[in-house]
Structure formats: structure tokens, C-alpha cells
Amino acid sequence: MKTIADQIKEISENIHPSLIQIRRQLHQYPELSGEEFGTSAFISHTLNEWGIDQRTGIAGTGIMAILRGKIPGNACVALRADMDALPIDEQNEVEYCSKNPGIMHACGHDVHVSSLLGTIKILQQLSDEYPGIIKCIFQPSEEKYPGGAIRMMEDGILQNPEPLAIFGQHVCPSLPYGKVGFKPGKYMASTDEIYITIKGRGGHAAIPHQNIDPVIIGAQILVALQQLVSRESDPTIPTVLSFGKFVANGRTNIIPDEAHMEGTLRTFDEMWRHEIHSRIGRVVSNMAHAFGATCEVFIDHGYPYLQNDESLTQAAIKNAQEFLGNENVVELDLRMTAEDFAYYAQKIPGCFYRLGVATTNLPFPPLHSAHFDVDENCLLTGPALMAWLALKKLNPSLK
Ligand code: NI
């Protein structure tokens, strides 16, 4: 008698060629955040062909597929894939290269969608093995604030019934295919966008005493703000404050009226996050006023930090080791990047993990690069492991 784990692996091998086709189809027609109309129609059509119940049009292009197990019971688990692509012109010379100029699946969300479809296909064939409901969430707009997660939650996807847990995965180009990575507890940072304008008084650069120079004031403010990170933040709470834009549009002999700065704040504690917002305002406004300028500070709140549930993630590590072998399950470090999966994990126990997509021993282009691609053997691991994690959550005694 075959174990369930063996049955999952067998189904996974059988559907692998069709999942590659699905992934390449999605890869050729990437769509930007909130505009995933073709992607959504494709997913919906596929689910219909397979006879899977679904709700469409959630938060615009979002879809929730619903699987029902045949064992009596009303437990529920949720699985999530994001659907959107990035404004990048693909530079890969592959037959399945993006056909939408300037748009590319450079963050692997095509893999997330095809993998979740594969998981659905596997679970559909194993409906005798679990009780309750599995909600499979295809989420729009992960790459763009305010993100699709919060809007899908507002639409009630985590209610009636409320899932015991939610799992999400993300491709990882620094891990070879066949391997996965987990991090219990804090995993990814919160992210906020900082916009600062220093308003001085422009004029001739040769008569500085008659102007209020926003360039030198802005420069001092940028340096002073780093002191919030080095001296005012608790060293045990990782914090990053980076400014990638400083525009003061004068000339060699012109002091401009204004200087504009834009940056990002990343950290791992909600109290500190809100505290440093007010300290940024304090430093900017006091320094601007000290030199006779005025200022505007706008902080656009992005995603919260992502907390993986400790016990759910420890159990997932154990289950993944059992399914893939200890050598194929690694522990991850903290990341300062952000994910709107964090909203789900604030509401119910969540586990967001990484799927290896690199070819063994080959250097792989990073996420968000025009050369990003995956080794499609990752579609043997991704769908199967997620199916296994869902089944083990609903029926822990499965072998
Ligand atoms: Ni991504």
C-alpha cells in the first residue's frame, strides 16, 4: 500500500509537464499589479475545466478556489499565491519570454500561481484523505501598496470558516531546486516610504548669505537621520533607513528653492516603527528650522513586518523534513524585504517559506532582475510540498 506522501510525489511527477506549460503561458503574458485580468481569467478557466469551485472578482482580479475533503469535519486551511508581475523589460532569450513589452514575471509569481494550481490538482485527487476545507487564494497586487492581501481579507476570505493556518511560498534564487527554507518567528521587515521636502530660498550661488540653501540643509538632515538608526534604535531590532533619491534641481551657480528626498524605512517592531516615524519628523523639522528653512515630511505606511507562527512553522519544518529529507530543508535568515502575506499572518497563524528554484551549482540572477528565471524542476517540489503541508495540518496522522 502506497503512503500518501508517495501518492503525492507520483501525482506531482505526472502533472509536472502540464505545470511547466501553465508556468510558461503565465510567464509570456505577465500583468502589472491590480491589472491581472488575463491571469485571473486563465486561472478561472483552468479551475472550471478541472471542476473546482471558485469565487472570482475578489479585490478586483483575486480568486479563491475551494476544495472539500470527504472525511467529516469542518477544519480549514488556506494556501496563497500572488499573481502580479513587474515593470521590467525581460532580457532572457527563451522561447517563453514575456510577450508584454516592459512587463516581466521577475519575482516568480508565475511559479507561485502554477505551483498552487498543481497543489489543487494533487489535493483534488486525494479528497478521501482529509476533512474540511482548503481555501486556495490567488492574490493580486503584492508588488504595489496597499497590496491585494488586505483587500481580499476585507472581502472576507479568512472568514466562514476561519482557517487554522495559512501557508505561502516564494521562489528563492539562492537555493537549488529540491530544497526549501523556513524561518520561525520574525522573518521579513515592515516597509514605509519616506518623502521629505526642504523649503529654503533660492538665488545666486555666489551670494549664499542672501539665500536659504535647501541643499546643504538636506544633506545634513540625511546624515543626521542615520543617527536614529545607529544611536536611537534598539540594536536587537534590525532597522534600515535608506534614501535612494535626493533631488535639488539647481545648477553650479544656482541655489534652488527646494530639495526633495525619498527613502525607505524597514524594521521588525510595530511600536518602534511608529516611534521612529515621529523621530524622523522631529529631526527633519528641527534641523530645517535651525537653519531657517521649512519642511514637509510624508510617511506612506506600507506592509507590516512578517511574523511566521512559531509552532506552525516548527511543525512545517518537521513535515517538510519528513517529505523531502532533512538535507533539503534549510533555516533562513531575517530579510529586510517585505511581503503583504504579513497581513494574513497578523490575523491567523501563518507560515511563509522559500522554494529553491536554482540549478545546482549555477549562479542565478536575483529577483527583480531582467535576467531572472527558474529551473522548472522547482515545480516538482513546490506543488507537492504545499499539498503535503495542507494535508498534515488537516490530518496530522497521515503518512
Ligand atoms: Ni515576489
Side-chain angles (χ1 to χ4, degrees), residues 82 84 86 106-109 112 142-143 170-171 338-339 352 354 367-368:
D82 44 8
D84 52 333
L86 289 161
C107 200
H109 299 189
H112 305 165
E142 188 280 323
E143 300 281 2
H170 202 292
V171 299
E339 241 293 340
F352 190 71
R354 296 264 153 184
L367 295 171
H368 293 212

Side-chain angles (χ1 to χ4, degrees), residues 286-365:
N286 285 335
M287 288 194 69
H289 288 125
F291 292 108
T294 59
C295 65
E296 277 170 14
V297 180
F298 174 64
I299 299 179
D300 200 6
H301 292 212
Y303 304 152
Y305 79 88
L306 193 162
Q307 171 93 20
N308 279 324
D309 185 81
E310 286 278 352
S311 68
L312 179 71
T313 307
Q314 293 294 359
I317 290 171
K318 213 171 113 282
N319 290 331
Q321 287 171 335
E322 185 184 346
F323 191 71
L324 299 173
N326 289 0
E327 69 281 9
N328 290 320
V329 181
V330 305
E331 175 141 1
L332 302 168
D333 291 326
L334 285 181
R335 290 175 69 97
M336 299 311 291
T337 52
E339 241 293 340
D340 75 343
F341 187 88
Y343 287 115
Y344 304 120
Q346 278 187 331
K347 181 91 177 136
I348 59 174
C351 173
F352 190 71
Y353 59 95
R354 296 264 153 184
L355 175 69
V357 298
T359 304
T360 317
N361 298 329
L362 279 183
F364 245 64

Side-chain angles (χ1 to χ4, degrees), residues 52 65-69 119-120 123-124 130 132-136:
I52 306 282
I66 295 166
L67 296 159
R68 290 182 181 82
T119 299
I120 289 171
L123 291 170
Q124 187 183 28
Y130 66 93
I133 288 176
I134 301 174
K135 293 179 170 178
C136 301

Side-chain angles (χ1 to χ4, degrees), residues 201-213 216 255:
R201 187 172 63 237
H204 203 296
I207 41 175
H209 59 293
Q210 291 184 5
N211 311 323
I212 297 171
D213 182 351
I216 192 79
I255 301 292

Side-chain angles (χ1 to χ4, degrees), residues 47 53-56 58 62-66 135-138 152 156-158:
L47 293 170
D53 280 354
Q54 59 177 305
R55 255 187 74 198
T56 57
I58 310 172
I63 293 176
M64 183 163 75
I66 295 166
K135 293 179 170 178
C136 301
I137 298 162
F138 295 92
M152 288 191 83
I157 59 161
L158 296 187

